[in-house]
Amino acid sequence: MTARIGVVTFPGSLDDRDTQRAIRLAGAEPVALWHKDKNLHQVDAVVLCGGFSYGDYLRAGAIARFSPVMEPLIEQAKAGLPVLGICNGFQILTEAHLLPGAMLGNDHLHFICSDQKLRVENADTAWTTDYSAGQEIHIPLKNMDGRYVADERTLDELEAEGRVAFRYLDVNPNGSLRDIAGITNAAGNVVGLMPHPEHAVEPLIGSGRTDGLPFFTSILKKLVNA
């Protein structure tokens, strides 16, 4: 039976089709989920994709957090449903308190779009098992509100518990504290990151690399072997 991975579309989502394509390339079935639908349609995992949900007019992800689809998603994520938040999706996960901390505007106050070098810090989450801890990868980055912040106690807890999933290398593109590019919850089923792995799954598209594909093969293997 083919694993079914939902991709939520909010008003202002930009990367839902790209994410669906990445899921399909990994060998799973992408399932389109609409933000107003309270039914997750029995998917095995969910991706909150990048974009500017509701135009980010209030605060990035703050309005999307209250979309009807988030009610069952939050409940099921707390019960173990694998959830990946990419860029705006990461912002939504912090707003929904499924991940700690917050995302603020880039410290240089400019939108950034670049190929970003990362180090994999945690290869034990539902979305990262096809990587190796310490592995260096390149993933496209594009954001305006990508600066990850949290109080010192939270940051220390993330570090001590191995919950920093990815860290920026060579350059910190947005002022994120401790060079954090992505984090995971304690259970390892919810992961959020600012870079866009769905734009690095085919050699002829996006960055020209396939460094992002393991996100989608990792979750597929977890679901198949569950």
Side-chain angles (χ1 to χ4, degrees):
M1 185 168 139
T2 304
R4 303 172 72 248
I5 302 178
V7 179
V8 180
T9 298
F10 299 95
S13 293
L14 300 178
D15 301 299
D16 42 354
R17 297 295 181 88
D18 303 77
T19 304
Q20 291 175 25
R21 180 176 179 81
I23 290 168
R24 193 175 294 111
L25 284 171
E29 176 188 351
V31 178
L33 300 175
W34 184 236
H35 71 111
K36 285 190 174 182
D37 192 350
K38 281 190 175 183
N39 189 341
L40 295 182
H41 300 284
Q42 298 181 318
V43 295
D44 303 300
V46 172
V47 180
L48 299 178
C49 64
F52 301 90
S53 57
Y54 294 91
D56 285 345
Y57 290 125
L58 176 62
R59 186 175 62 249
I63 301 176
R65 176 262 179 273
F66 293 101
S67 289
V69 73
M70 292 300 295
E71 183 178 331
L73 188 147
I74 291 171
E75 179 182 351
Q76 292 185 39
K78 290 179 178 179
L81 179 74
V83 178
L84 175 65
I86 302 171
C87 195
N88 193 225
F90 185 12
Q91 295 160 345
I92 295 169
L93 290 177
T94 61
E95 292 288 340
H97 304 297
L98 286 173
L99 291 174
M103 309 302 303
L104 301 181
N106 297 341
D107 60 351
H108 46 70
L109 303 181
H110 295 287
F111 179 85
I112 186 171
C113 183
S114 63
D115 190 19
Q116 178 66 46
K117 188 177 182 180
L118 306 174
R119 182 172 62 239
V120 180
E121 302 282 25
N122 186 331
D124 295 322
T125 78
W127 300 90
T128 59
T129 55
D130 268 359
Y131 292 110
S132 301
Q135 183 177 349
E136 297 182 3
I137 60 176
H138 289 78
I139 302 288
L141 178 75
K142 51 176 186 174
N143 63 71
M144 182 69 188
D145 299 288
R147 178 163 53 108
Y148 180 76
V149 299
D151 60 76
E152 286 299 311
R153 178 179 177 180
T154 298
L155 292 170
D156 288 343
E157 287 179 353
L158 290 173
E159 300 278 12
E161 296 172 8
R163 291 172 54 195
V164 175
F166 297 91
R167 213 180 298 267
Y168 296 117
L169 288 183
D170 294 346
V171 62
N172 185 325
N174 44 38
S176 291
L177 297 181
R178 303 194 189 182
D179 299 326
I180 292 175
I183 61 175
T184 178
N185 67 342
N189 63 301
V190 179
V191 172
L193 79 161
M194 286 311 297
H196 287 259
E198 77 280 10
H199 294 323
V201 295
E202 294 182 280
L204 295 179
I205 298 177
S207 68
R209 300 173 182 267
T210 58
D211 289 4
L213 190 59
F215 276 89
F216 306 100
T217 56
S218 292
I219 189 60
L220 178 58
K221 288 180 181 178
K222 176 176 176 56
L223 294 173
V224 170
N225 295 325

